[in-house]
Amino acid sequence: MAIFFDEQKEIFRLTTEHTAYFIGIVDGTYVGHIYYGPRMEDCGCGYLLRTKESPLPPSENIWDKAAFADAFPYEYSTWGVGDFRNPCLCVRTAQGSRTCELSYESYRILEGKPDLPGLPSAFAGENGAAETLEIVCRDTCIGLKVILRYSMFADSDALMRSVLLVNEGEEELYLERVLSACLDMDDESYQMLTLPGSWARERHMEYRPLRHGSQEVSSQRGISSHQAQPFVALTTPNITETTGEVYAMHFVYSGNFQAQVELSQFDTVRMTMGIHPQGFEWVLKPGESFAAPEVVCVYSNQGLRAMTHTFHELYRNHLIRSRYLHQKRPVLLNNWEATYFDFDADRLLAIAKEAGEAGVEMLVMDDGWFGKRNHDHCSLGDWQVNEEKLPGGLAALTANLKKLGMKLGIWFEPEMVSKDSDLYRAHPDWAIHIPGRELTMSRGQYILDLSRPEVIEYVYESVAEILRNAEIAYVKWDMNRQMTEIGSTFLDAAHQGELCHRYVLGVYELQERLLKEFPDLLLENCTSGGGRFDPGMLYFSPQIWCSDDTDAGERLAIQEGTALLYPLSTIGAHVSVCPNHIVGRVTPFETRGYVALGGTFGYELDITKLSEEEHRLMREQIALYHTYQPLIREGDYYRIASARENHQYDCFSVVAKDRSEVLVTFIQTAARANYHSRKIRLAGLNPRAAYRWQETGEIYAGETLMMGGILVPPLMGDYAGRLMHFVEVR
Ligand code: GLA
């Protein structure tokens, strides 16, 4: 890792172990993108900016500066001076103009990586060396200073980018669009890889060709969303796990976002990412600054796998702060699919008793324990225990659970308020709304206005009071609706455009405070399943509920897309009953366990209704969890085969960091008649080591397992699965 400035050539070189990123200054003014790709050192690459060919830079051709501006590969594009491609920055002045042009002013190279105020971002950690480049630019006409920030860690190939704006003028500025990163490159027949989805069908990998003009992936729902992961990648055609080039951007943010890819008239591409400009406007008073959230950029010329590993390692080493990151988490049973709202202490304890006997370590009491919450139309905001359901409150429940050797986890939806709640009756103004306009109902609830300090205080104290007065080991922090009628009666007219971003900052502030006061709390974020599964939330919680769809078949595609970016240890996954409550599919109990083991693992069912055989299988699964969890949590993930692509089987593996063992998960999604064993090539092993297949005792050379493959014996039935464990023979 090194940042170097070649003063003569006016070129910045940023290198990680395998990558290099070059930035050039043209005419002492224009900050241009020269190169991002495999590591190289030579600063003689400035010609790649094409400043010697028409359109020439303004110093040589002021007659047609616009032609230059519309073709120049900008590090950070602005609107209004001839670059007609997608801008990163749009600023309105007090006079109403929106034009902005940035000129290079100076640079700083810093040891370490500064935090972003109020925002989650990757951090160096105890042993991580980091370096940061700050390029300072200015628009003197409007008094705006723009700092482009680039950071790298010694142990990672990722590049973190963010932008800081400072109003150094005399008048207010109105930020209408402030994106966080821009990448201008020549097109190489790229295709766009994204992770679209829906509720219960999150993050399915999807490719699309690039067309001239702009294409995008975005969310305007107030959350990063089920529908769009804040991720976009450009890949060369026919990319595989191990071959092809990929340029990826992932946004460390949990609200509205926009990622655009624009194929220009000159067959160059501009890839941008940042806060969605729709409805966004931030008032920047003289002397104030604004930080745009961080974008993680990853380049790989060895296919998707290297990209995945870079993200996984970055998030494990530099983003997830929880002390549970490297700890085995308790096996939990969540009562949502078991009881929905229909429970009381007796029913929970009956479940807990049998669960405890099977080896479950924690009962998570989901929605329905507070206020008059017997359905989803009331009581959000009234965070008082319903003693009719739970006599003696949480103290009695935890005491009884303790006798069974179990901990208590609890569900909250702190950001919401039901129309039918004491909180809403007392403070209708605390909901996000526009006076005089009917507020759209969604799941019977409204969203609290987290731009209001007293709302933050109320929400925080409601959650904290419960945690202060009962021994609660785990919180599932849910969020179950999207934003509409976006208005705040707290903010004045000029600041209404700040609400969505202030809301996200409010969520971050709440979780930051919570973790400070309760450092031992295991936090799991959730948004109607996986609607806010993003790197921003990962900064606060080491695991996120991946999807309300617990069907093992559906989960293969959901978890595959999620694991493209996120370590398996972050993916909330539970075993539930069949027919599955969302899709009605029946899959073997064993397979449901294998798929849940590819995440955090736990249960979401009424154990008192399971058969004896299922009880036995459950005990077996929990034993598997204890055996394999350290490997799954700490190892390297390999996507080996995708049922989404081949429609027959899915396979992934986790290899120990020292390559001494590998756990292979194989699920046959569609059985086939009269078929031989399936050949699967493993990856990531030591070619020269010998491995014992633990289940059969057979010994194989690492190279044979990788080049020749293993033969998975034929399985009977759709969704039949198998775990295969290979351990190095020393
Ligand atoms: C959301 C969550 C579920 C459950 C319900 C409770 O949908 O994703 O797991 O907690 O809310 O209302």
Side-chain angles (χ1 to χ4, degrees):
M1 170 197 62
I3 299 175
F4 168 74
F5 183 53
D6 185 322
E7 302 221 353
Q8 239 189 343
K9 299 193 170 93
E10 296 201 290
I11 285 180
F12 294 98
R13 181 185 67 203
L14 296 78
T15 46
T16 65
E17 190 181 350
H18 301 105
T19 73
Y21 192 102
F22 286 83
I23 301 165
I25 312 295
V26 172
D27 282 1
T29 300
Y30 303 98
V31 185
H33 179 71
I34 300 176
Y35 173 86
Y36 188 25
R39 182 171 171 138
M40 62 174 200
E41 312 257 319
D42 175 28
C43 286
C45 55
Y47 66 91
L48 291 169
L49 285 170
R50 297 193 171 97
T51 50
K52 298 274 177 279
E53 55 186 89
S54 180
L56 293 163
S59 56
E60 295 181 43
N61 182 17
I62 194 65
W63 178 78
D64 201 349
K65 179 181 157 191
F68 167 80
D70 205 22
F72 186 68
Y74 283 97
E75 270 299 308
Y76 195 67
S77 57
T78 60
W79 191 82
V81 282
D83 178 359
F84 299 105
R85 294 161 291 173
N86 289 325
C88 291
L89 187 64
C90 253
V91 182
R92 197 176 78 246
T93 63
Q95 290 71 40
S97 83
R98 288 185 167 82
T99 289
C100 178
E101 182 172 27
L102 298 179
S103 300
Y104 171 75
E105 187 177 279
S106 61
Y107 76 94
R108 267 199 327 158
I109 296 173
L110 316 171
E111 282 288 315
K113 179 173 185 292
D115 290 340
L116 289 175
L119 287 164
S121 61
F123 54 86
E126 274 164 27
N127 310 312
E131 249 183 75
T132 298
L133 167 66
E134 288 189 347
I135 299 182
V136 181
C137 305
R138 191 178 296 276
D139 182 322
T140 41
C141 284
I142 62 173
L144 179 67
K145 180 159 100 176
V146 175
I147 303 168
L148 309 179
R149 220 183 235 175
Y150 304 79
S151 300
M152 294 116 71
F153 301 118
D155 61 357
S156 173
D157 277 321
L159 175 69
M160 274 66 60
R161 292 184 59 172
S162 60
V163 177
L164 279 149
L165 306 188
V166 189
N167 183 351
E168 294 192 340
E170 314 268 281
E171 290 181 318
E172 283 185 352
L173 294 173
Y174 308 95
L175 312 178
E176 295 186 334
R177 180 181 176 100
V178 186
L179 303 189
S180 299
C182 175
L183 194 56
D184 275 2
M185 306 184 290
D186 282 15
D187 183 31
E188 311 260 357
S189 305
Y190 292 128
Q191 48 185 355
M192 194 168 154
L193 169 62
T194 59
L195 293 171
S198 176
W199 171 75
R201 201 163 17 83
E202 296 89 340
R203 292 174 294 285
H204 282 46
M205 289 170 67
E206 186 177 278
Y207 290 95
R208 61 176 118 154
L210 288 191
R211 301 281 183 240
H212 284 96
S214 190
Q215 33 255 298
E216 75 170 45
V217 46
S218 66
S219 165
Q220 303 179 46
R221 295 167 188 270
I223 51 177
S224 48
S225 87
H226 303 83
Q227 290 75 10
Q229 172 68 198
F231 161 80
V232 65
L234 294 180
T235 77
T236 43
N238 307 317
I239 185 147
T240 69
E241 284 300 292
T242 50
T243 61
E245 280 188 293
V246 52
Y247 293 88
M249 285 186 179
H250 203 193
F251 202 22
V252 188
Y253 189 63
S254 310
N256 296 337
F257 76 92
Q258 185 184 53
Q260 292 184 313
V261 179
E262 183 174 4
L263 183 57
S264 80
Q265 56 184 330
F266 305 116
D267 289 345
T268 58
V269 284
R270 170 169 291 171
M271 191 178 176
T272 51
M273 182 173 267
I275 293 178
H276 203 301
Q278 179 65 43
F280 172 83
E281 179 170 285
W282 195 272
V283 183
L284 204 62
K285 294 205 180 82
E288 283 184 350
S289 58
F290 178 84
E294 182 160 283
V295 167
V296 177
C297 302
V298 173
Y299 166 79
S300 150
N301 62 353
Q302 286 168 41
L304 293 178
R305 183 172 293 159
M307 175 198 79
T308 293
H309 286 175
T310 302
F311 277 118
H312 284 199
E313 290 308 290
L314 181 80
Y315 293 160
R316 285 197 279 209
N317 297 330
H318 300 286
L319 187 71
I320 304 170
R321 297 178 299 169
S322 170
R323 70 175 186 77
Y324 291 95
L325 172 64
H326 295 299
Q327 279 182 30
K328 200 196 286 175
R329 307 187 200 148
V331 178
L332 63 81
L333 185 146
N334 178 306
N335 74 311
W336 179 240
E337 284 196 31
T339 65
Y340 295 104
F341 294 103
D342 183 17
F343 66 86
D344 58 16
D346 288 346
R347 185 141 183 227
L348 291 182
L349 289 169
I351 292 174
K353 184 167 181 305
E354 285 193 27
E357 285 161 9
V360 172
E361 296 153 310
M362 180 161 74
L363 179 85
V364 174
M365 180 168 61
D366 210 281
D367 195 355
W369 57 266
F370 52 91
K372 300 187 180 72
R373 184 92 167 162
N374 293 316
H375 50 72
D376 60 12
H377 288 44
C378 73
S379 299
L380 291 174
D382 300 344
W383 298 106
Q384 291 87 33
V385 177
N386 177 345
E387 297 232 8
E388 274 171 37
K389 282 183 172 177
L390 304 169
L394 297 179
L397 184 63
T398 44
N400 284 324
L401 284 172
K402 226 179 206 170
K403 285 186 211 146
L404 302 172
M406 289 181 84
K407 296 176 176 164
L408 178 67
I410 195 168
W411 178 97
F412 280 100
E413 197 177 351
E415 302 160 54
M416 298 291 149
V417 61
S418 303
K419 187 172 185 188
D420 179 8
S421 67
D422 295 340
L423 180 64
Y424 187 73
R425 281 181 284 273
H427 298 287
D429 267 8
W430 284 13
I432 287 180
H433 74 292
I434 299 169
R437 181 175 288 281
E438 190 190 332
L439 187 41
T440 299
M441 191 57 90
S442 177
R443 212 196 186 209
Q445 64 199 53
Y446 303 140
I447 306 186
L448 287 170
D449 178 358
L450 298 186
S451 73
R452 276 179 180 267
E454 70 267 39
V455 172
I456 294 269
E457 216 41 50
Y458 175 86
V459 169
Y460 183 73
E461 282 304 315
S462 311
V463 178
E465 253 323 274
I466 298 279
L467 300 189
R468 285 180 200 129
N469 293 313
E471 264 181 73
I472 291 172
Y474 158 110
V475 162
K476 176 175 171 186
W477 179 301
D478 208 342
M479 193 288 187
N480 281 313
R481 70 157 283 177
Q482 307 162 46
M483 255 183 224
T484 58
E485 293 86 22
I486 297 161
S488 165
T489 48
F490 172 71
L491 299 172
D492 63 24
H495 292 80
Q496 291 294 321
E498 299 178 2
L499 181 54
C500 292
H501 184 54
R502 285 193 184 275
Y503 179 85
V504 178
L505 295 177
V507 174
Y508 292 153
E509 182 187 331
L510 283 168
Q511 296 209 348
E512 186 70 35
R513 279 174 71 176
L514 197 68
L515 294 172
K516 215 171 229 160
E517 185 173 345
F518 306 98
D520 291 336
L521 186 71
L522 172 57
L523 185 64
E524 176 156 352
N525 273 300
C526 169
T527 297
S528 303
R532 211 164 49 181
F533 204 126
D534 59 55
M537 299 315 287
L538 210 56
Y539 182 75
F540 300 96
S541 69
Q543 58 195 61
I544 301 178
W545 184 229
C546 182
S547 177
D548 278 346
D549 193 338
T550 50
D551 171 71
E554 295 284 302
R555 274 291 183 126
L556 291 174
I558 298 170
Q559 292 182 198
E560 172 194 49
T562 308
L564 185 72
L565 306 172
Y566 300 95
L568 300 191
S569 65
T570 67
I571 299 177
H574 298 164
V575 175
S576 62
V577 295
C578 281
N580 179 267
H581 290 194
I582 303 282
V583 289
R585 182 178 288 127
V586 176
T587 55
F589 198 87
E590 292 93 325
T591 297
R592 285 175 256 157
Y594 300 153
V595 174
L597 279 171
T600 54
F601 191 77
Y603 291 87
E604 183 115 2
L605 45 73
D606 184 350
I607 188 173
T608 65
K609 294 186 178 146
L610 295 190
S611 67
E612 253 181 53
E613 171 64 1
E614 285 169 327
H615 271 263
R616 188 185 63 75
L617 290 171
M618 195 165 155
R619 279 192 292 274
E620 268 183 31
Q621 282 172 349
I622 292 174
L624 289 177
Y625 170 78
H626 289 300
T627 307
Y628 295 131
Q629 218 286 319
L631 171 62
I632 293 165
R633 193 184 63 230
E634 307 289 341
D636 291 333
Y637 162 82
Y638 289 82
R639 190 171 78 102
I640 293 182
S642 168
R644 195 184 37 78
E645 290 165 359
N646 64 34
H647 307 294
Q648 289 183 36
Y649 62 99
D650 205 271
C651 186
F652 61 91
S653 71
V654 183
V655 179
K657 286 268 175 230
D658 64 1
R659 303 191 290 177
S660 62
E661 57 174 328
V662 53
L663 181 70
V664 184
T665 305
F666 178 92
I667 312 289
Q668 164 179 285
T669 52
R672 225 172 159 197
N674 194 17
Y675 204 68
H676 290 286
S677 55
R678 180 81 63 184
K679 187 162 41 175
I680 292 288
R681 291 196 179 96
L682 302 189
L685 304 178
N686 177 355
R688 279 169 294 284
Y691 292 85
R692 179 187 293 109
W693 187 343
Q694 296 298 88
E695 293 79 34
T696 66
E698 290 153 9
I699 310 277
Y700 299 84
E703 62 176 2
T704 311
L705 292 175
M706 292 194 290
M707 314 298 168
I710 54 169
L711 297 177
V712 183
L715 299 171
M716 281 297 278
D718 293 349
Y719 295 100
R722 188 152 180 178
L723 282 189
M724 293 163 277
H725 188 209
F726 296 80
V727 178
E728 187 182 349
V729 186
R730 301 212 195 210

